[in-house]
Amino acid sequence: MLFRRPKTPPISDIDSKLAAFDRAYAGMFPNEPKPWEEAAAAATTESSGKPWLMGKTRWWWFSRAGAAVMLLFILIVFWLAVTAPLSKSLQPIAPPRITLLAWDGTPIARNGAIVDKPVEVKKLPPHVVQAFLSIEDRRFYSHWGVDPRSIARALWSNTFGSGIQQGGSTITQQLAKFTFLTPEKSLTRKAREALIAFWLEAWLTKDEILERYLSNAYFGDNIYGLRAASMHYFYRKPENLTLSQAAMLAGLVQAPNRLAPTRNPQRAAKRAKLVLNAMVATGAISEAKADATPIAKIDVRYKETLPTGTYFADWAMPQARLDAETGYSDQVIRTTLDSRLQNIARKVIARAPLGNAQVALVAMRPNGEVVAMVGGKSYKESPFNRATQAKRQPGSTFKLFVYTAALRSGMTPDSKVDDSPIIEGDYRPKNYSDRYRGEITLKQAFAQSSNVAAVRLYNQLGYSAVARAAKDMGVQSPLTRDASLALGSSGMTLLELTSAYAGVAGNKWPVEPRAFVAEEEGWFGWLLSAQRSFSNAQHKALLELLGATVNQGTGRAARLSIPAYGKTGTSQDYRDALFVGFAGDLVVGVWIGNDDNTPLRNITGGGLPARIWRDFMSQAVKGAGPRPKPKPAKEPDPTGPIEPLDLPDIPELPVNINGTEVRVDPNKGVTVSGQIEGVPLDVTVGRNGIDVRPREEPARKQ
């Protein structure tokens, strides 16, 4: 190239020329000694005999150790920021109380801790703060979160003392423990507790730490926080607590359940005296004042009358907790439960001849709003909810999904299906009572709950079509893949099954059961909704099948005075008996069975479950019950006088009779003579009735 640079640039500066001269000069004396090279070799030999780290200076060690400590500190701060956010100490440590209301506003259940607004240290009387500090943490305002002196005193007392265990935790450590940590007892938790205590002391003032401690501490009787405790035990605000009341409350935090004055007034009084003595020891009050302070008398005005749980409340409360706002205040939430319908369900279940069997009932609107729920014969004896928690075989009620798949494939209620015994294959189910009808319509097979017809339809349609129909209508439980699925061999909850039938009742599926009224769906929500509907022909066909079951099939015991639709179900060996159906604006499912899955005594879905369903619906839905017979306006008295019904009508007697004269004739009867407006009349009452005629005046003497 024209401008190619030479490999060795020409020497142009004086330094380069001198360096070149030195190298040339040194080459003229190759044997001259070189002491600097010998020193470098000696240093290399000396260092090669020692470990690499031993040759480092103290500064090197100090700088690396400091960097390691700094890195560890950064990691701990990061760990605390992630696992123990500071804002958590501003939240109640126990879920606040939630009151559930029925739709009409009737309180039905209350659950959760009793908490109240946080307190402010500056607004509390001095003796309230001094009472807690004297008994819990005397050096609170002087330590840095952990008090070595208190820990040493607790260790000495626990080792050589009277046997009463003492704790050395500060108020800051206690706040760290019940706000961020679990109650486990281990050295690891203690170490974390100390680290969080230092962290809290670094970010919060002493008053803020004390306020958060007092607002979250447990005081027994399901009470959390000083404000809630003062209102519960003494019915007054914490800003107005007396010395005796403050001493009793301060003494509770050591063992709230054991020292609660509502349960153990003597222990609470003894502990309050101990708090007063501690206040004397710290100089907060004089000994004379402590001796003159009486034991506080509790004033509990609020008594819990609502149950903490019911079958419906246990199902609804988790969702209420999820949707509730975080904070210290109690919350009141209205549910979809109908008090009238719930009472009807409870009474119907109570008078049903169940024997030792259990029962469950779910009633909902077609949109999924649950209005009544019974999960067993007695919540007190067994809170296990058999309507929402028990997965049992639905029996023939599952045939709804088999026939839905058949209608989707193009079949109609008039399509034919073989109802003869199955003599091929490994699975050979039989009909109830071994009754077979040959070739019948889908409507007849569904109404009579033919097992062989359902299995033949399943084999014809395939698992995928039947499972898709069930999943589309809201069934979430796993389904078996063999032909027994057609007869309901896969377990599911009664709530799940009833929701599927609600999809047919409202022609909108899947239906999600809910305990709270959902917000109205706007146009955009409707556009994105996953709900679908049957075609008019399919929906009409399903109603025809379900109606035939009640009118002329296995569900005749569920007939009402209004159109009713449903399906019976009985699992193998009579282990489960069900009836699920709808009428009016209610969809109701009823299940009967034993908890240990033992067979019932020949109870079928068309028997007792159908009668319970009818009994409930006849009272719950207007016009569904039997029409009353007309009653007579007035019941005749059989002991009264005999009335001759073949006599002529009795005319009305004349009125305003003046100058009357009464004559009695044994043959004629009683004759009353008088004048009516100047006309003389004789009124005779005899055996032949009443005779009224003008009276003949006697001739006057001339």
Side-chain angles (χ1 to χ4, degrees), residues 170-239:
T170 63
I171 283 179
T172 312
Q173 287 178 277
Q174 294 181 52
L175 176 63
K177 178 175 63 177
F178 60 62
T179 303
F180 300 105
L181 302 174
T182 60
E184 65 170 332
K185 294 183 178 181
S186 64
L187 292 177
T188 303
R189 188 194 62 78
K190 273 293 183 182
R192 295 187 67 195
E193 178 184 301
L195 284 173
I196 296 175
F198 284 127
W199 182 59
L200 291 173
E201 291 279 348
W203 288 95
L204 300 175
T205 65
K206 286 290 186 178
D207 284 351
E208 289 175 336
I209 293 173
L210 184 58
E211 287 172 353
R212 299 185 186 200
Y213 168 78
L214 294 176
S215 300
N216 286 287
Y218 181 52
F219 289 87
D221 282 2
N222 201 31
I223 308 295
Y224 289 82
L226 180 60
R227 187 174 301 279
S230 61
M231 291 297 298
H232 174 73
Y233 290 115
F234 303 113
Y235 201 69
R236 63 171 55 195
K237 296 179 180 180
E239 291 82 6

Side-chain angles (χ1 to χ4, degrees), residues 5 79 116 148 154 206 215 292 296 348 464 488 493 527 590 623:
R5 182 176 298 175
W79 169 66
D116 211 328
K206 286 290 186 178
S215 300
V348 166
S464 298
T493 65
L527 188 64
V590 179

Side-chain angles (χ1 to χ4, degrees), residues 120-454:
E120 297 182 31
V121 170
K122 294 181 179 179
K123 295 182 179 180
L124 295 175
H127 57 259
V128 174
V129 177
Q130 292 163 358
F132 282 92
L133 296 184
S134 297
I135 196 66
E136 289 296 318
D137 191 357
R138 299 181 182 181
R139 289 167 30 84
F140 172 72
Y141 280 98
S142 60
H143 62 65
W144 287 4
V146 177
D147 189 1
R149 190 184 304 177
S150 178
I151 295 175
R153 184 181 67 251
L155 289 174
W156 179 267
S157 176
N158 296 337
T159 305
F160 304 104
S162 60
I164 301 177
Q165 293 292 317
Q166 295 188 13
S169 297
T170 63
I171 283 179
T172 312
Q173 287 178 277
Q174 294 181 52
L175 176 63
K177 178 175 63 177
F178 60 62
T179 303
F180 300 105
L181 302 174
T182 60
E184 65 170 332
K185 294 183 178 181
S186 64
L187 292 177
T188 303
R189 188 194 62 78
K190 273 293 183 182
R192 295 187 67 195
E193 178 184 301
L195 284 173
I196 296 175
F198 284 127
W199 182 59
L200 291 173
E201 291 279 348
W203 288 95
L204 300 175
T205 65
K206 286 290 186 178
D207 284 351
E208 289 175 336
I209 293 173
L210 184 58
E211 287 172 353
R212 299 185 186 200
Y213 168 78
L214 294 176
S215 300
N216 286 287
Y218 181 52
F219 289 87
D221 282 2
N222 201 31
I223 308 295
Y224 289 82
L226 180 60
R227 187 174 301 279
S230 61
M231 291 297 298
H232 174 73
Y233 290 115
F234 303 113
Y235 201 69
R236 63 171 55 195
K237 296 179 180 180
E239 291 82 6
N240 300 327
L241 286 172
T242 64
L243 175 59
S244 60
Q245 294 167 343
M248 181 168 287
L249 291 177
L252 296 182
V253 293
Q254 184 195 50
N257 292 326
R258 184 167 56 88
L259 298 173
T262 51
R263 303 178 184 179
N264 301 299
Q266 292 81 10
R267 290 181 179 177
K270 185 177 180 181
R271 179 68 178 174
K273 276 294 184 181
L274 184 62
V275 173
L276 292 173
N277 293 335
M279 295 179 71
V280 172
T282 58
I285 59 174
S286 63
E287 187 173 355
K289 188 171 185 180
D291 294 337
T293 302
I295 298 299
K297 294 182 179 180
I298 63 173
D299 183 11
V300 179
R301 301 189 182 185
Y302 177 81
K303 293 184 178 180
E304 185 61 77
T305 57
L306 287 179
T308 57
T310 62
Y311 288 118
F312 179 84
D314 287 352
W315 173 67
M317 191 64 72
Q319 184 63 40
R321 288 278 178 211
L322 190 63
D323 297 338
E325 300 177 358
T326 57
Y328 285 86
S329 60
D330 292 355
Q331 299 195 41
V332 179
I333 303 178
R334 188 184 301 270
T335 68
T336 58
L337 190 77
D338 190 308
S339 298
R340 182 181 71 89
L341 299 181
Q342 182 67 25
N343 287 330
I344 293 174
R346 180 175 52 81
K347 293 176 181 178
V348 166
I349 295 298
R351 62 172 172 257
L354 295 168
N356 295 326
Q358 281 291 348
V359 65
L361 183 148
V362 173
M364 65 175 61
R365 304 295 181 192
N367 64 355
E369 294 180 356
V370 177
V371 294
M373 178 180 289
V374 177
K377 290 192 296 186
S378 172
Y379 180 87
K380 183 179 180 180
E381 295 179 1
S382 174
F384 178 73
N385 194 335
R386 295 155 187 85
T388 63
Q389 296 176 284
K391 286 195 173 185
R392 302 295 291 256
Q393 291 187 5
S396 294
T397 57
F398 189 88
K399 292 175 182 176
L400 171 68
F401 311 116
V402 178
Y403 282 76
T404 298
L407 296 175
R408 284 180 171 182
S409 70
M411 302 178 74
T412 68
D414 295 327
S415 299
K416 299 294 184 178
V417 61
D418 188 6
D419 186 36
S420 60
I422 297 177
I423 59 176
E424 298 178 353
D426 297 332
Y427 184 60
R428 301 180 183 183
K430 296 181 180 180
N431 284 348
Y432 181 71
S433 298
D434 281 336
R435 295 185 60 187
Y436 302 93
R437 301 167 183 83
E439 192 170 290
I440 58 176
T441 64
L442 257 65
K443 180 178 179 180
Q444 292 173 320
F446 189 84
Q448 300 301 326
S449 196
S450 170
N451 291 336
V452 296

Side-chain angles (χ1 to χ4, degrees), residues 526-589:
W526 172 83
L527 188 64
L528 299 178
S529 175
Q531 285 191 320
R532 299 169 58 191
S533 301
F534 297 108
S535 66
N536 291 334
Q538 290 178 358
H539 188 238
K540 183 179 179 181
L542 284 173
L543 293 180
E544 186 176 350
L545 297 179
L546 293 166
T549 301
V550 176
N551 294 327
Q552 60 201 42
T554 57
R556 291 189 297 272
R559 281 183 291 190
L560 303 171
S561 298
I562 61 174
Y565 310 88
K567 185 71 185 75
T568 60
T570 308
S571 66
Q572 190 174 12
D573 297 330
Y574 303 97
R575 286 184 170 87
D576 305 274
L578 303 96
F579 187 88
V580 186
F582 50 90
D585 63 343
L586 282 180
V587 187
V588 179

Side-chain angles (χ1 to χ4, degrees), residues 51-125:
W52 177 71
L53 291 177
M54 295 298 293
K56 303 303 180 182
T57 63
R58 292 180 180 177
W59 171 250
W60 187 93
W61 281 103
F62 179 78
S63 61
R64 266 54 177 184
V69 171
M70 183 61 66
L71 178 61
L72 180 62
F73 178 77
I74 293 174
L75 290 176
I76 291 176
V77 171
F78 177 76
W79 169 66
L80 288 175
V82 173
T83 62
L86 192 63
S87 60
K88 191 174 180 181
S89 62
L90 288 172
Q91 301 173 2
I93 63 175
R97 187 171 54 181
I98 290 180
T99 301
L100 296 181
L101 307 179
W103 180 245
D104 61 357
T106 303
I108 57 175
R110 184 172 289 125
N111 185 272
I114 302 175
V115 297
D116 211 328
K117 295 184 298 182
V119 297
E120 297 182 31
V121 170
K122 294 181 179 179
K123 295 182 179 180
L124 295 175

